[in-house]
Amino acid sequence: MKREIQALKAENRRLASESADLTAIKRIIHNVDVQVANPPAWLTGSAPKGKLVHGVPTLMLSDLHFGETVFSNQVNGVNQYNTTIAKRRLRRVVDGSIKLLRHTLAPGQFGGMVVILGGDMVDGVIHDELRDTADETVMQSVITLHDELVPGLKALCDEFGKLHVPCVAGNHGRLDRKPRMKNGPALNFDFLLYQFLARTIHADPKYRDRITFQIPDGFDASYRVYGTRYMLTHGDSFKGGSGITGPLLPWMRGDAKTRKQYGALGMPYDVLVMGHWHQLRYLGQIIVNGCLVGFNEYAMKSRFDYEPPMQALWLTHPVRGLTFQESVFADDPKALNEAPWVSVKAAA
């Protein structure tokens, strides 16, 4: 009994110390009124009045890998990446999403926008080769990306009236090389970035009540747009993908297990949204985002499919659910081929 009591006291002291550390961290970075659980009322309320209501657009930003360097000569010249290119691509995605929605779907009303921050926002420190070749330290990358995302989010808010920003942490931003389940998101540079973004934006009276953040303490974020229930996760918990079907089976198996789990918890969802896999796919009840970093040396060595850097953009209609599923390309288009767009060989 004495040994058991001593062990329990030691465990209690350890937990108290850990709780105090987390409290101190949150006191530093949580010095802001952040909505971390409940989406705003406008997302789940009635649609705005108007003759043509398109619904609420969602732009997903994930796998930005700020800080990573991709060397052109190591990927057969199909891609190059560094902080300068990353900033240019991110700005093009923000501008491109506005143009796609405003020009392609004009006229019409949207009634706000969801901007997902889906993890792997910075390159991180989990691999030595990434640290050795990065053009910024991870701390510098957090600052750089913060300074890019703040005006980007404000520009989208100015365009669409109000924003809701659900956030989840990825695997690249974790502090430990081995994944950590306890307090995993809070020990991640993505989490730190999200808190700084919320702090900066909510310090501006113009945007304080117009941009809300959903920053969970866990690995997933659940929210609803009108009648469509979304479950956001980074995607690194789904394993496999080396077979002839690629990652399709891991996605389907992971979605089935996640639906079963959340159904048992009384939190069923309609659409699973994730990043991590660097391949943009719309699969009905599953949405997988692309990436900003593009094709890199790891993808080359692993024989992954080539895909240009792009991010996902879709609409949630108040009645029809998911509509208008598009890709926002992060690079400028290549010069057009001057040859005729169609040719017919003359009969002999």
Side-chain angles (χ1 to χ4, degrees), residues 63-70 81 83 119-142 145 170-174 188-190 278 293 296-297:
D63 304 279
L64 309 186
H65 286 236
F66 260 61
E68 181 172 346
T69 300
V70 177
Y81 197 66
T83 299
D120 281 4
M121 311 301 284
V122 295
D123 197 29
V125 295
I126 59 174
H127 300 301
D128 287 337
E129 60 178 318
L130 297 178
R131 298 182 66 175
D132 293 342
T133 59
D135 65 350
E136 285 189 331
T137 69
V138 66
M139 297 292 189
Q140 292 171 320
S141 295
V142 169
L145 184 52
N171 59 297
H172 268 259
R174 66 178 186 258
N188 193 298
F189 285 107
D190 291 339
H278 294 204
V293 62
N296 60 11
E297 294 84 355

Side-chain angles (χ1 to χ4, degrees), residues 1 48 72 154 166 171 193 215 259 279 310 336 340:
M1 287 293 294
S72 176
K154 288 182 177 181
N171 59 297
L193 170 68
I215 309 174
R259 285 181 188 275
Q279 296 184 35
M310 63 179 76
L336 294 175

Side-chain angles (χ1 to χ4, degrees), residues 73-254:
N73 62 328
Q74 296 182 20
V75 291
N76 291 335
V78 299
N79 187 35
Q80 185 178 2
Y81 197 66
N82 52 45
T83 299
T84 300
I85 296 174
K87 291 192 288 187
R88 184 179 71 236
R89 286 181 179 176
L90 180 57
R91 293 169 188 172
R92 194 181 191 283
V93 166
V94 171
D95 293 341
S97 63
I98 294 174
K99 291 177 181 178
L100 271 171
L101 292 169
R102 287 302 187 194
H103 296 175
T104 306
L105 298 177
Q109 297 185 38
F110 297 100
M113 187 180 199
V114 174
V115 179
I116 292 174
L117 302 182
D120 281 4
M121 311 301 284
V122 295
D123 197 29
V125 295
I126 59 174
H127 300 301
D128 287 337
E129 60 178 318
L130 297 178
R131 298 182 66 175
D132 293 342
T133 59
D135 65 350
E136 285 189 331
T137 69
V138 66
M139 297 292 189
Q140 292 171 320
S141 295
V142 169
I143 296 171
T144 300
L145 184 52
H146 167 275
D147 293 347
E148 289 295 315
L149 282 174
V150 166
L153 292 174
K154 288 182 177 181
L156 291 170
C157 183
D158 290 338
E159 186 68 36
F160 298 103
K162 45 195 175 237
L163 293 186
H164 181 59
V165 188
C167 309
V168 291
N171 59 297
H172 268 259
R174 66 178 186 258
L175 299 183
D176 301 277
R177 298 198 178 195
K178 184 178 179 180
R180 183 185 284 262
M181 306 302 136
K182 303 288 188 182
N183 301 318
L187 296 170
N188 193 298
F189 285 107
D190 291 339
F191 183 85
L192 187 67
L193 170 68
Y194 302 151
Q195 297 293 344
F196 284 152
L197 286 172
R199 181 189 183 113
T200 300
I201 288 177
H202 286 183
D204 189 336
K206 180 180 178 181
Y207 299 98
R208 182 178 300 143
D209 298 324
R210 298 168 59 198
I211 302 179
T212 53
F213 285 80
Q214 184 178 350
I215 309 174
D217 289 329
F219 291 98
D220 306 326
S222 175
Y223 65 97
R224 181 163 61 92
V225 181
Y226 296 126
T228 303
R229 299 163 298 184
Y230 288 96
M231 181 61 63
L232 170 64
T233 190
H234 179 62
D236 57 313
S237 58
F238 303 160
K239 306 299 181 182
S242 59
I244 193 66
T245 60
L248 182 59
L249 285 181
W251 294 343
M252 296 176 65
R253 182 172 58 247

